[in-house]
mmCIF file of all heavy atoms in Angstrom:
data_model
loop_
_atom_site.group_PDB
_atom_site.id
_atom_site.type_symbol
_atom_site.label_atom_id
_atom_site.label_comp_id
_atom_site.label_asym_id
_atom_site.label_seq_id
_atom_site.Cartn_x
_atom_site.Cartn_y
_atom_site.Cartn_z
ATOM 1 N N SER T 1 0.808 -1.224 0.000
ATOM 2 C CA SER T 1 0.000 0.000 0.000
ATOM 3 C C SER T 1 0.840 1.272 0.000
ATOM 4 O O SER T 1 0.317 2.349 -0.245
ATOM 5 C CB SER T 1 -0.952 0.011 1.209
ATOM 6 O OG SER T 1 -0.228 0.268 2.414
ATOM 7 N N GLN T 2 2.138 1.149 0.268
ATOM 8 C CA GLN T 2 3.027 2.319 0.321
ATOM 9 C C GLN T 2 4.269 2.062 -0.525
ATOM 10 O O GLN T 2 4.834 0.968 -0.485
ATOM 11 C CB GLN T 2 3.460 2.607 1.766
ATOM 12 C CG GLN T 2 2.320 2.875 2.716
ATOM 13 C CD GLN T 2 1.591 4.167 2.377
ATOM 14 O OE1 GLN T 2 2.220 5.174 2.063
ATOM 15 N NE2 GLN T 2 0.274 4.139 2.438
ATOM 16 N N ASN T 3 4.701 3.071 -1.254
ATOM 17 C CA ASN T 3 5.883 2.905 -2.108
ATOM 18 C C ASN T 3 7.121 2.511 -1.319
ATOM 19 O O ASN T 3 7.906 1.673 -1.763
ATOM 20 C CB ASN T 3 6.170 4.192 -2.891
ATOM 21 C CG ASN T 3 5.146 4.441 -3.974
ATOM 22 O OD1 ASN T 3 4.496 3.525 -4.455
ATOM 23 N ND2 ASN T 3 4.985 5.694 -4.357
ATOM 24 N N HIS T 4 7.317 3.124 -0.153
ATOM 25 C CA HIS T 4 8.554 2.878 0.591
ATOM 26 C C HIS T 4 8.588 1.522 1.293
ATOM 27 O O HIS T 4 9.650 1.107 1.755
ATOM 28 C CB HIS T 4 8.845 4.014 1.577
ATOM 29 C CG HIS T 4 7.821 4.189 2.641
ATOM 30 N ND1 HIS T 4 6.586 4.751 2.403
ATOM 31 C CD2 HIS T 4 7.845 3.888 3.943
ATOM 32 C CE1 HIS T 4 5.896 4.779 3.524
ATOM 33 N NE2 HIS T 4 6.631 4.256 4.479
ATOM 34 N N THR T 5 7.473 0.805 1.372
ATOM 35 C CA THR T 5 7.472 -0.531 1.968
ATOM 36 C C THR T 5 7.145 -1.630 0.955
ATOM 37 O O THR T 5 7.201 -2.812 1.295
ATOM 38 C CB THR T 5 6.472 -0.622 3.142
ATOM 39 O OG1 THR T 5 5.166 -0.241 2.678
ATOM 40 C CG2 THR T 5 6.899 0.269 4.294
ATOM 41 N N ALA T 6 6.842 -1.259 -0.265
ATOM 42 C CA ALA T 6 6.398 -2.225 -1.275
ATOM 43 C C ALA T 6 7.442 -3.295 -1.573
ATOM 44 O O ALA T 6 7.097 -4.418 -1.939
ATOM 45 C CB ALA T 6 6.001 -1.508 -2.559
ATOM 46 N N GLY T 7 8.716 -2.989 -1.380
ATOM 47 C CA GLY T 7 9.762 -3.958 -1.676
ATOM 48 C C GLY T 7 10.114 -4.893 -0.536
ATOM 49 O O GLY T 7 10.945 -5.782 -0.697
ATOM 50 N N ILE T 8 9.487 -4.712 0.612
ATOM 51 C CA ILE T 8 9.767 -5.598 1.748
ATOM 52 C C ILE T 8 8.984 -6.892 1.550
ATOM 53 O O ILE T 8 7.782 -6.866 1.350
ATOM 54 C CB ILE T 8 9.399 -4.917 3.080
ATOM 55 C CG1 ILE T 8 10.208 -3.631 3.251
ATOM 56 C CG2 ILE T 8 9.650 -5.881 4.250
ATOM 57 C CD1 ILE T 8 9.796 -2.797 4.453
ATOM 58 N N GLU T 9 9.691 -8.005 1.624
ATOM 59 C CA GLU T 9 9.068 -9.294 1.325
ATOM 60 C C GLU T 9 9.015 -10.255 2.503
ATOM 61 O O GLU T 9 8.341 -11.273 2.442
ATOM 62 C CB GLU T 9 9.811 -9.965 0.169
ATOM 63 C CG GLU T 9 9.777 -9.145 -1.105
ATOM 64 C CD GLU T 9 10.598 -9.759 -2.224
ATOM 65 O OE1 GLU T 9 11.440 -10.645 -1.944
ATOM 66 O OE2 GLU T 9 10.394 -9.347 -3.367
ATOM 67 N N THR T 10 9.741 -9.941 3.578
ATOM 68 C CA THR T 10 9.817 -10.878 4.693
ATOM 69 C C THR T 10 9.189 -10.273 5.940
ATOM 70 O O THR T 10 9.533 -9.162 6.340
ATOM 71 C CB THR T 10 11.284 -11.272 4.991
ATOM 72 O OG1 THR T 10 11.855 -11.794 3.782
ATOM 73 C CG2 THR T 10 11.362 -12.322 6.079
ATOM 74 N N PHE T 11 8.272 -11.038 6.545
ATOM 75 C CA PHE T 11 7.536 -10.602 7.732
ATOM 76 C C PHE T 11 7.545 -11.736 8.743
ATOM 77 O O PHE T 11 7.243 -12.875 8.412
ATOM 78 C CB PHE T 11 6.089 -10.251 7.359
ATOM 79 C CG PHE T 11 6.015 -9.243 6.258
ATOM 80 C CD1 PHE T 11 6.005 -9.636 4.935
ATOM 81 C CD2 PHE T 11 5.995 -7.892 6.545
ATOM 82 C CE1 PHE T 11 5.969 -8.702 3.907
ATOM 83 C CE2 PHE T 11 5.968 -6.960 5.537
ATOM 84 C CZ PHE T 11 5.952 -7.362 4.214
ATOM 85 N N LEU T 12 7.919 -11.416 9.970
ATOM 86 C CA LEU T 12 7.990 -12.421 11.023
ATOM 87 C C LEU T 12 7.167 -11.964 12.223
ATOM 88 O O LEU T 12 7.227 -10.795 12.605
ATOM 89 C CB LEU T 12 9.443 -12.632 11.460
ATOM 90 C CG LEU T 12 10.430 -13.066 10.367
ATOM 91 C CD1 LEU T 12 11.844 -13.073 10.913
ATOM 92 C CD2 LEU T 12 10.050 -14.427 9.823
ATOM 93 N N ILE T 13 6.436 -12.892 12.811
ATOM 94 C CA ILE T 13 5.652 -12.603 14.007
ATOM 95 C C ILE T 13 6.499 -12.992 15.217
ATOM 96 O O ILE T 13 6.946 -14.135 15.333
ATOM 97 C CB ILE T 13 4.321 -13.401 14.021
ATOM 98 C CG1 ILE T 13 3.554 -13.194 12.718
ATOM 99 C CG2 ILE T 13 3.501 -13.017 15.246
ATOM 100 C CD1 ILE T 13 3.149 -11.774 12.416
ATOM 101 N N HIS T 14 6.716 -12.036 16.097
ATOM 102 C CA HIS T 14 7.528 -12.263 17.303
ATOM 103 C C HIS T 14 6.604 -12.268 18.518
ATOM 104 O O HIS T 14 5.700 -11.430 18.608
ATOM 105 C CB HIS T 14 8.578 -11.158 17.433
ATOM 106 C CG HIS T 14 9.626 -11.454 18.444
ATOM 107 N ND1 HIS T 14 9.416 -11.275 19.794
ATOM 108 C CD2 HIS T 14 10.893 -11.928 18.309
ATOM 109 C CE1 HIS T 14 10.523 -11.612 20.443
ATOM 110 N NE2 HIS T 14 11.426 -12.015 19.563
ATOM 111 N N PRO T 15 6.823 -13.164 19.477
ATOM 112 C CA PRO T 15 5.921 -13.249 20.634
ATOM 113 C C PRO T 15 6.024 -12.073 21.613
ATOM 114 O O PRO T 15 5.083 -11.803 22.355
ATOM 115 C CB PRO T 15 6.338 -14.557 21.318
ATOM 116 C CG PRO T 15 7.745 -14.785 20.882
ATOM 117 C CD PRO T 15 7.855 -14.204 19.497
ATOM 118 N N GLY T 16 7.135 -11.375 21.611
ATOM 119 C CA GLY T 16 7.310 -10.241 22.535
ATOM 120 C C GLY T 16 8.679 -9.630 22.330
ATOM 121 O O GLY T 16 9.684 -10.260 22.623
ATOM 122 N N PHE T 17 8.727 -8.437 21.784
ATOM 123 C CA PHE T 17 10.003 -7.810 21.448
ATOM 124 C C PHE T 17 10.905 -7.661 22.661
ATOM 125 O O PHE T 17 10.437 -7.318 23.754
ATOM 126 C CB PHE T 17 9.776 -6.420 20.865
ATOM 127 C CG PHE T 17 9.291 -6.395 19.434
ATOM 128 C CD1 PHE T 17 9.066 -7.548 18.722
ATOM 129 C CD2 PHE T 17 9.072 -5.189 18.813
ATOM 130 C CE1 PHE T 17 8.631 -7.502 17.409
ATOM 131 C CE2 PHE T 17 8.633 -5.127 17.512
ATOM 132 C CZ PHE T 17 8.415 -6.283 16.801
ATOM 133 N N PRO T 18 12.203 -7.856 22.469
ATOM 134 C CA PRO T 18 13.147 -7.531 23.533
ATOM 135 C C PRO T 18 13.229 -6.004 23.644
ATOM 136 O O PRO T 18 13.388 -5.319 22.630
ATOM 137 C CB PRO T 18 14.470 -8.123 23.022
ATOM 138 C CG PRO T 18 14.322 -8.167 21.528
ATOM 139 C CD PRO T 18 12.868 -8.365 21.267
ATOM 140 N N VAL T 19 13.044 -5.496 24.845
ATOM 141 C CA VAL T 19 13.051 -4.043 25.041
ATOM 142 C C VAL T 19 13.974 -3.672 26.194
ATOM 143 O O VAL T 19 14.273 -4.490 27.064
ATOM 144 C CB VAL T 19 11.636 -3.482 25.306
ATOM 145 C CG1 VAL T 19 10.760 -3.609 24.081
ATOM 146 C CG2 VAL T 19 10.989 -4.164 26.490
ATOM 147 N N ASP T 20 14.410 -2.438 26.190
ATOM 148 C CA ASP T 20 15.220 -1.894 27.269
ATOM 149 C C ASP T 20 14.371 -1.913 28.537
ATOM 150 O O ASP T 20 13.230 -1.448 28.524
ATOM 151 C CB ASP T 20 15.633 -0.469 26.911
ATOM 152 C CG ASP T 20 16.595 0.126 27.911
ATOM 153 O OD1 ASP T 20 16.225 0.204 29.103
ATOM 154 O OD2 ASP T 20 17.694 0.527 27.505
ATOM 155 N N ILE T 21 14.904 -2.445 29.624
ATOM 156 C CA ILE T 21 14.115 -2.575 30.853
ATOM 157 C C ILE T 21 13.719 -1.217 31.435
ATOM 158 O O ILE T 21 12.747 -1.120 32.161
ATOM 159 C CB ILE T 21 14.832 -3.426 31.916
ATOM 160 C CG1 ILE T 21 16.184 -2.831 32.276
ATOM 161 C CG2 ILE T 21 14.972 -4.851 31.464
ATOM 162 C CD1 ILE T 21 16.856 -3.513 33.457
ATOM 163 N N ARG T 22 14.461 -0.177 31.088
ATOM 164 C CA ARG T 22 14.115 1.164 31.590
ATOM 165 C C ARG T 22 13.044 1.839 30.745
ATOM 166 O O ARG T 22 12.340 2.710 31.215
ATOM 167 C CB ARG T 22 15.365 2.045 31.635
ATOM 168 C CG ARG T 22 16.429 1.510 32.587
ATOM 169 C CD ARG T 22 17.735 2.196 32.337
ATOM 170 N NE ARG T 22 18.191 1.793 30.997
ATOM 171 C CZ ARG T 22 19.189 2.324 30.334
ATOM 172 N NH1 ARG T 22 19.861 3.317 30.850
ATOM 173 N NH2 ARG T 22 19.537 1.887 29.156
ATOM 174 N N HIS T 23 12.965 1.439 29.478
ATOM 175 C CA HIS T 23 12.018 2.054 28.546
ATOM 176 C C HIS T 23 11.323 0.935 27.786
ATOM 177 O O HIS T 23 11.883 0.431 26.824
ATOM 178 C CB HIS T 23 12.739 2.946 27.536
ATOM 179 C CG HIS T 23 13.701 3.898 28.127
ATOM 180 N ND1 HIS T 23 15.005 3.577 28.386
ATOM 181 C CD2 HIS T 23 13.537 5.179 28.532
ATOM 182 C CE1 HIS T 23 15.618 4.625 28.908
ATOM 183 N NE2 HIS T 23 14.751 5.603 29.009
ATOM 184 N N ASN T 24 10.156 0.554 28.190
ATOM 185 C CA ASN T 24 9.461 -0.556 27.553
ATOM 186 C C ASN T 24 9.252 -0.328 26.060
ATOM 187 O O ASN T 24 9.013 -1.250 25.318
ATOM 188 C CB ASN T 24 8.124 -0.825 28.241
ATOM 189 C CG ASN T 24 7.493 -2.105 27.737
ATOM 190 O OD1 ASN T 24 8.173 -3.061 27.404
ATOM 191 N ND2 ASN T 24 6.187 -2.119 27.670
ATOM 192 N N ALA T 25 9.360 0.898 25.595
ATOM 193 C CA ALA T 25 9.139 1.189 24.187
ATOM 194 C C ALA T 25 10.412 1.097 23.349
ATOM 195 O O ALA T 25 10.345 1.021 22.138
ATOM 196 C CB ALA T 25 8.535 2.578 24.032
ATOM 197 N N LYS T 26 11.584 1.108 23.972
ATOM 198 C CA LYS T 26 12.841 1.097 23.229
ATOM 199 C C LYS T 26 13.212 -0.341 22.873
ATOM 200 O O LYS T 26 13.653 -1.116 23.720
ATOM 201 C CB LYS T 26 13.958 1.755 24.033
ATOM 202 C CG LYS T 26 15.229 1.895 23.247
ATOM 203 C CD LYS T 26 16.264 2.687 24.004
ATOM 204 C CE LYS T 26 17.507 2.822 23.157
ATOM 205 N NZ LYS T 26 18.537 3.580 23.848
ATOM 206 N N ILE T 27 13.049 -0.685 21.599
ATOM 207 C CA ILE T 27 13.282 -2.049 21.122
ATOM 208 C C ILE T 27 14.778 -2.294 20.981
ATOM 209 O O ILE T 27 15.507 -1.478 20.417
ATOM 210 C CB ILE T 27 12.582 -2.252 19.760
ATOM 211 C CG1 ILE T 27 11.077 -2.032 19.909
ATOM 212 C CG2 ILE T 27 12.881 -3.638 19.201
ATOM 213 C CD1 ILE T 27 10.345 -1.889 18.591
ATOM 214 N N ARG T 28 15.222 -3.419 21.483
ATOM 215 C CA ARG T 28 16.622 -3.822 21.319
ATOM 216 C C ARG T 28 16.750 -4.516 19.956
ATOM 217 O O ARG T 28 16.625 -5.734 19.827
ATOM 218 C CB ARG T 28 17.058 -4.706 22.477
ATOM 219 C CG ARG T 28 17.071 -3.948 23.787
ATOM 220 C CD ARG T 28 17.808 -4.633 24.916
ATOM 221 N NE ARG T 28 17.496 -6.024 25.084
ATOM 222 C CZ ARG T 28 16.963 -6.557 26.189
ATOM 223 N NH1 ARG T 28 16.700 -5.812 27.225
ATOM 224 N NH2 ARG T 28 16.714 -7.851 26.247
ATOM 225 N N ARG T 29 16.971 -3.694 18.951
ATOM 226 C CA ARG T 29 16.953 -4.152 17.564
ATOM 227 C C ARG T 29 18.039 -5.183 17.256
ATOM 228 O O ARG T 29 17.821 -6.069 16.433
ATOM 229 C CB ARG T 29 17.073 -2.968 16.611
ATOM 230 C CG ARG T 29 15.859 -2.098 16.663
ATOM 231 C CD ARG T 29 16.038 -0.852 15.805
ATOM 232 N NE ARG T 29 14.907 0.018 16.023
ATOM 233 C CZ ARG T 29 13.723 -0.135 15.447
ATOM 234 N NH1 ARG T 29 13.527 -1.124 14.614
ATOM 235 N NH2 ARG T 29 12.744 0.694 15.717
ATOM 236 N N GLU T 30 19.192 -5.060 17.870
ATOM 237 C CA GLU T 30 20.259 -6.020 17.586
ATOM 238 C C GLU T 30 19.815 -7.434 17.990
ATOM 239 O O GLU T 30 20.039 -8.395 17.256
ATOM 240 C CB GLU T 30 21.547 -5.625 18.324
ATOM 241 C CG GLU T 30 22.706 -6.563 18.061
ATOM 242 C CD GLU T 30 23.115 -6.666 16.593
ATOM 243 O OE1 GLU T 30 22.835 -5.729 15.798
ATOM 244 O OE2 GLU T 30 23.698 -7.710 16.220
ATOM 245 N N GLU T 31 19.174 -7.563 19.136
ATOM 246 C CA GLU T 31 18.664 -8.879 19.554
ATOM 247 C C GLU T 31 17.572 -9.370 18.600
ATOM 248 O O GLU T 31 17.501 -10.554 18.276
ATOM 249 C CB GLU T 31 18.129 -8.816 20.975
ATOM 250 C CG GLU T 31 19.198 -8.674 22.016
ATOM 251 C CD GLU T 31 18.612 -8.627 23.427
ATOM 252 O OE1 GLU T 31 17.631 -9.352 23.699
ATOM 253 O OE2 GLU T 31 19.161 -7.863 24.247
ATOM 254 N N LEU T 32 16.734 -8.451 18.176
ATOM 255 C CA LEU T 32 15.655 -8.810 17.264
ATOM 256 C C LEU T 32 16.225 -9.233 15.907
ATOM 257 O O LEU T 32 15.754 -10.189 15.296
ATOM 258 C CB LEU T 32 14.703 -7.618 17.102
ATOM 259 C CG LEU T 32 13.326 -7.901 16.565
ATOM 260 C CD1 LEU T 32 12.607 -8.972 17.373
ATOM 261 C CD2 LEU T 32 12.510 -6.627 16.533
ATOM 262 N N ARG T 33 17.270 -8.548 15.459
ATOM 263 C CA ARG T 33 17.918 -8.909 14.191
ATOM 264 C C ARG T 33 18.507 -10.316 14.277
ATOM 265 O O ARG T 33 18.347 -11.131 13.368
ATOM 266 C CB ARG T 33 19.019 -7.909 13.848
ATOM 267 C CG ARG T 33 19.686 -8.208 12.505
ATOM 268 C CD ARG T 33 20.965 -7.429 12.323
ATOM 269 N NE ARG T 33 21.979 -7.789 13.288
ATOM 270 C CZ ARG T 33 22.743 -8.885 13.230
ATOM 271 N NH1 ARG T 33 22.589 -9.758 12.261
ATOM 272 N NH2 ARG T 33 23.641 -9.132 14.158
ATOM 273 N N ILE T 34 19.157 -10.632 15.395
ATOM 274 C CA ILE T 34 19.726 -11.975 15.573
ATOM 275 C C ILE T 34 18.613 -13.022 15.545
ATOM 276 O O ILE T 34 18.732 -14.063 14.901
ATOM 277 C CB ILE T 34 20.551 -12.047 16.871
ATOM 278 C CG1 ILE T 34 21.801 -11.180 16.728
ATOM 279 C CG2 ILE T 34 20.908 -13.482 17.235
ATOM 280 C CD1 ILE T 34 22.530 -10.917 18.034
ATOM 281 N N TRP T 35 17.515 -12.740 16.239
ATOM 282 C CA TRP T 35 16.368 -13.658 16.237
ATOM 283 C C TRP T 35 15.837 -13.853 14.808
ATOM 284 O O TRP T 35 15.532 -14.970 14.392
ATOM 285 C CB TRP T 35 15.273 -13.129 17.151
ATOM 286 C CG TRP T 35 14.005 -13.919 17.082
ATOM 287 C CD1 TRP T 35 13.708 -15.047 17.780
ATOM 288 C CD2 TRP T 35 12.864 -13.617 16.265
ATOM 289 N NE1 TRP T 35 12.438 -15.480 17.433
ATOM 290 C CE2 TRP T 35 11.900 -14.625 16.502
ATOM 291 C CE3 TRP T 35 12.558 -12.605 15.348
ATOM 292 C CZ2 TRP T 35 10.677 -14.647 15.860
ATOM 293 C CZ3 TRP T 35 11.325 -12.632 14.713
ATOM 294 C CH2 TRP T 35 10.408 -13.642 14.970
#
């Protein structure tokens, strides 16, 4: 539906993002990338 996301082909459902314990909203992307 959007030009800037139209080329993304891989989607994964994660049970619960790893987040910084001080900021529940700050996603630990490196851990998510490894997963």
Side-chain angles (χ1 to χ4, degrees):
S1 73
Q2 301 294 318
N3 289 336
H4 63 286
T5 56
I8 300 173
E9 299 176 344
T10 304
F11 305 89
L12 302 173
I13 308 299
H14 192 280
F17 284 0
V19 293
D20 186 301
I21 58 172
R22 298 166 294 169
H23 311 87
N24 189 34
K26 186 173 181 180
I27 300 167
R28 294 194 313 241
R29 292 175 187 280
E30 181 60 23
E31 289 180 38
L32 199 54
R33 182 193 64 78
I34 292 167
W35 173 85

